[in-house]
Each structure stands twice: as C-alpha cells, then as structure tokens.
Amino acid sequence: MQPVRVGLLGMGTVGGGTIRVLKRNAEEISRRAGRGIVVTQAAARDLKKQRIVDTAGISLTTDPFAVVNNPDIDVVVELIGGDTIARELVTKAIANGKHVVTANKALIAKHGNEIFAQAQAKGVMVAFEAAVAGGIPIIKAIREGLAGNRIEWLAGIINGTSNFILTEMRDKGREFSDVLTEAQALGYAEADPTFDVEGIDAAHKLTILAAIAFGIPLQFTKAYTEGITNLTSEDVSYAEQLGYRIKSLGIARRAANGIELRVHPTLVPARRLIANVDGVMNAVLVKGDAVGPTLYYGPGAGAEPTASAVVADLVDVVRMMTADPENRVPHLAFQPDALSDIPILPMAQVKTAYYLRLRAQDRPGVLADVTRILGDLKISIEAIVQKGTADGVATIILLTHRVLEQNMDDALERIKKLPTISGEIMRIRMEALNAN
Ligand code: HSE
C-alpha cells in the first residue's frame, strides 16, 4: 500500500524531531500503522537556515498554504504555533479534506470548538496529543484509558518553564527574576515567556484537559490564571519548613455547582509524588471514581518527546482513516451532541485552603484581631507560626482549612485595614491532592 503523505507546517524544534523520529523508526511505525508514514512536503520560514535534520526526499517551501492546498498531501502536521496564521492553515486543511495533527495548545484551547465542528462536518480528524504535556500521552489516557470513570478532578504541572523556576528557587534559594533568564535559554519557554510565568500556557492546556475529562466545551476565557511572578524565595522556604512544596498547578475539579478551572501557585504536601516533580518535567494527577488517583509523568516539551506525541497521533490517524467518522473516538472524548453545559465557577465560588503570610506588630492582641476576622468569616485555622521579628514587626504564617474564596477575599480586605498590619499579605492556595 502507498505510504501516507504528510505535509509539515513548521521546521523548528518539534518539526525537526518529527522528521527524525519518523525516519529512524519508519519500519516499526509502518508495522504499527499498517502503512508507511512519510513527510513529503514541509514549509519553513527560512529555507537557508542550517538544519541538523536530513530533509532528503522532502520538498521544501516557504509557503505553508502550498502544503495545505497540495492535493498530494493526506495529513497536515501543524507545528507553527499561535492562533492567527495557524488557525487559517488548519481551517483550510480541513476544508480541503485533510486530516490534521497539531501541537498547538493555544489554537485548540481558544478555537477548538469551531475547529472540531468543521472537522466533523468534513469527516476528518484533528489530533492534538502533543498540545498538552509534550510527550506524556495524557489526552489518550483520559479520553480512552479512563473512559469508564467519572473523572472527579485533575491537577497538573503542565508548564515546564514555571516548574524549572520554582525548583531552582527552592533548591538554591534563588529569586524569580534571576532564574527566568536561564529558563528561557533552555529553549522550553514560549515565544512570549509571559505565557509561561503568568500561567497562560498552563491555562491553554488545562482548558483542553478539563474538556475531555468532564465532557464540556473548551472554555479558555473562563479559566482563572495566576502566575508565579510574585512568589518570593522567602515563601518557598516557609512552605518547605511546614512540609509543603509550591508548585504552579492547573486544577480542574467537578464541584457540586460547577467546574473549577484554575491555574495558580499551590502549596502541595511535600510527600505527594507530584510535589517531587522537578525541573522542566511535567506530571498530571487524575482522579477517577473507579480507578482512584493516577499519575502521568514525563517530559512536557523538547524535540523528540513532543515528536513522540505527534507521531503517535499520525499512527492513530492512519489507522482510523478508513473508519466511518461516526465510529472514531470523538475529538473531545464525549459525543459532540452530548457535551454538558455545567458552568465554570468564578474564582470567588471555588473552595480551597490557604497559606497566608502577613507582617504584624509584635504586641498583645494583634493576632487576636486577625483570628477574630477569620472566625467571623467562618475560616478555620489549621496552623499559626511566628517566623521571627525585626524592628518590632513579626512575620506570621497562617494555614487555613478549606473555605470559599469569597470569604477569604472578604477577610483579607478587613485584615489589610488593621492598623497593626503592614505591607502586602501573601496568599497562596493550598491543595491536599489526596485520594478523596
Ligand atoms: N512553554 C512550554 C513549557 C512548552 O514550558 O512547558 C511546552 O508546551
């Protein structure tokens, strides 16, 4: 049988990795897929650029539209990123009846609903394993491996750049800004690194995970996003002393009245496996009602790890090409006409525990004022520690039990107004991530 002809859009890190893996493992891939898979055309911005990958047999062009309009291409692999030109190209490829494999998290999170509807109407597949957590097959795991479960929650370290920064802050006591430059040099950071450190990249990925876990449409604009830019090595160290690690987590949870969808720095008990995922590695913890907690760990970016996911998608697409579109795995795991309209909860309606750090005058009655406000707002304290005094001002760390975020917002407003409290109050959310 003729090999399947792939058109590649983008010849950067992942594009190069994809060509290499397809060539190196060609024989095994063809035994798995039932047909060979070859890149026959590729679009790159700069054809003169020195490449370490062997492009023999690949027709190169600077015009990506030439690829999506080429009648001799069966599957388009989109590795350009962003949601402008990439969106046009994917839409055009679908209109031309081509299957699409993409690593583009922003595109899927923001425009996936329309893209999947177009693909369904044309009877083509759009596969996006590489969009979330690089080489970890998390889409496959949730969409197919856990299909018997009612997913209760998931929590993931899904931005390697942030995790690298937090790991350095903890291990070496370095400050945030100091580590960022080094993280960018590692080549994992997004074109716009604020996407990494402000939680936007993680929110793109979380939006996708939540949709396939709960059977809801993609709703990126409703995700709560808070970055790691305000974290200090002081808080990282206090958290450590209390038996916690600070991780930037994407959390999606099925609550009684809606879905929580949030990315923010989070204190996690240090003994949890996920708390020990360091450097640029990714991990996703998924709790299903039948299976219990499951953890998926691996490289979240990089040339061949991401290519591993791209090629797996290509194999899937090739295997399913001849299947009736109605019998393929739905893009968002649930049948498109069976998606739920359960609302995404605003952050004020989310329930979580908290770490608070405040500076208070070190004299009788000061702490009583603080705890009275917390008590009035039904916030139960789990622990209080005083971390030394300088110039008559004490640093107080408070850990609370779970409470509605609205109550915590109200409490902090009132505590800030106390004349005995100085400076900003640091608030970091805290999750037990246990089997319940
Ligand atoms: N910027 C991303 C990260 C790359 O740091 O994890 C993979 O999506």
Side-chain angles (χ1 to χ4, degrees):
M1 206 186 285
Q2 283 271 44
V4 170
R5 297 157 304 179
V6 173
L8 204 58
L9 307 178
M11 290 268 285
T13 310
V14 181
T18 302
I19 293 173
R20 272 203 307 277
V21 172
L22 277 174
K23 281 202 172 156
R24 191 173 68 234
N25 298 340
E27 198 235 316
E28 293 241 341
I29 288 167
S30 142
R31 281 170 57 210
R32 289 180 195 272
R35 284 174 78 177
I37 301 175
V38 290
V39 177
T40 54
Q41 191 178 23
R45 240 187 326 218
D46 178 5
L47 296 185
K48 292 202 192 78
K49 200 172 148 191
Q50 195 75 30
R51 294 181 202 285
I52 38 170
V53 63
D54 175 14
T55 54
I58 304 174
S59 143
L60 299 177
T61 172
T62 51
D63 177 13
F65 285 94
V67 178
V68 298
N69 289 324
N70 181 347
D72 295 330
I73 291 295
D74 307 305
V75 186
V76 167
V77 173
E78 185 275 305
L79 302 172
I80 289 178
D83 66 333
T84 51
I85 180 114
R87 185 182 181 190
E88 277 180 55
L89 289 162
V90 165
T91 306
K92 188 73 186 149
I94 293 169
N96 288 342
K98 298 186 194 308
H99 304 287
V100 174
V101 171
T102 178
N104 193 330
K105 53 243 163 153
L107 179 70
I108 298 299
K110 290 166 78 178
H111 307 293
N113 298 322
E114 302 83 66
I115 289 172
F116 297 146
Q118 286 159 4
Q120 210 202 341
K122 288 294 285 187
V124 296
M125 291 171 269
V126 176
F128 52 94
E129 182 67 70
V132 183
I136 308 174
I138 189 65
I139 302 292
K140 190 94 170 169
I142 296 176
R143 194 163 58 181
E144 297 172 52
L146 299 180
N149 288 261
R150 182 174 159 87
I151 308 283
E152 293 170 359
W153 54 264
L154 60 88
I157 295 175
I158 44 182
N159 182 267
T161 304
S162 297
N163 202 49
F164 172 79
I165 294 172
L166 292 176
T167 304
E168 286 290 298
M169 286 173 78
R170 178 176 66 86
D171 286 355
K172 304 187 182 143
R174 295 170 70 186
E175 285 300 341
F176 168 79
S177 50
D178 185 30
V179 195
L180 176 61
T181 327
E182 192 181 328
Q184 284 172 270
L186 271 174
Y188 276 67
E190 294 301 299
D192 177 352
T194 59
F195 274 39
D196 294 300
V197 295
E198 297 296 357
I200 299 162
D201 175 72
H204 287 148
K205 296 165 181 166
L206 180 70
T207 300
I208 299 171
L209 292 180
I212 61 168
F214 304 126
I216 54 173
L218 296 147
Q219 295 167 80
F220 169 69
T221 52
K222 295 189 184 149
Y224 172 80
T225 312
E226 184 181 309
I228 59 167
T229 50
N230 291 328
L231 286 180
T232 64
S233 56
E234 182 188 11
D235 292 302
V236 171
S237 160
Y238 290 151
E240 193 77 11
Q241 291 165 36
L242 292 162
Y244 293 86
R245 300 259 161 91
I246 302 180
K247 292 290 177 192
S248 176
L249 290 187
I251 299 171
R253 189 191 306 270
R254 197 196 288 271
N257 47 347
I259 302 283
E260 299 177 6
L261 195 59
R262 49 192 171 108
V263 174
H264 51 69
T266 314
L267 266 78
V268 180
R271 61 185 179 280
R272 297 272 177 272
L273 279 174
I274 197 166
N276 294 281
V277 171
D278 287 334
V280 291
M281 297 304 274
N282 280 199
V284 185
L285 185 52
V286 185
K287 170 75 179 356
D289 68 336
V291 69
T294 56
L295 181 67
Y296 309 85
Y297 168 86
E304 292 209 5
T306 312
S308 161
V310 168
V311 174
D313 271 350
L314 280 169
V315 170
D316 253 1
V317 166
V318 171
R319 283 172 175 156
M320 297 305 286
M321 266 175 169
T322 50
D324 177 353
E326 298 300 312
N327 297 332
R328 293 177 185 150
V329 179
H331 291 109
L332 289 179
F334 292 70
Q335 297 300 332
D337 58 358
L339 294 187
S340 158
D341 59 2
I342 182 167
I344 305 293
L345 293 173
M347 202 55 200
Q349 295 302 312
V350 163
K351 250 187 167 178
T352 182
Y354 295 87
Y355 159 105
L356 303 176
R357 171 179 46 76
L358 37 105
R359 315 259 192 226
Q361 282 173 25
D362 197 6
R363 57 181 171 76
V366 171
L367 210 49
D369 289 340
V370 172
T371 55
R372 191 175 316 110
I373 292 173
L374 293 175
D376 286 351
L377 284 152
K378 307 199 170 9
I379 300 172
S380 170
I381 298 166
E382 187 190 309
I384 304 185
V385 194
Q386 181 160 333
K387 285 285 178 192
T389 309
D391 301 326
V393 176
T395 297
I396 312 285
I397 309 295
L398 273 152
L399 302 184
T400 78
H401 290 290
R402 288 178 75 224
V403 62
L404 209 58
E405 176 123 338
Q406 182 68 66
N407 290 35
M408 182 53 78
D409 289 343
D410 294 347
L412 292 183
E413 269 312 300
R414 283 164 64 176
I415 294 170
K416 260 186 236 166
K417 287 189 187 132
L418 290 172
T420 48
I421 300 296
S422 50
E424 283 298 305
I425 300 171
M426 177 59 106
R427 167 247 299 263
I428 308 176
R429 298 170 187 92
M430 198 162 81
E431 292 287 337
L433 302 183
N434 50 22
N436 304 315

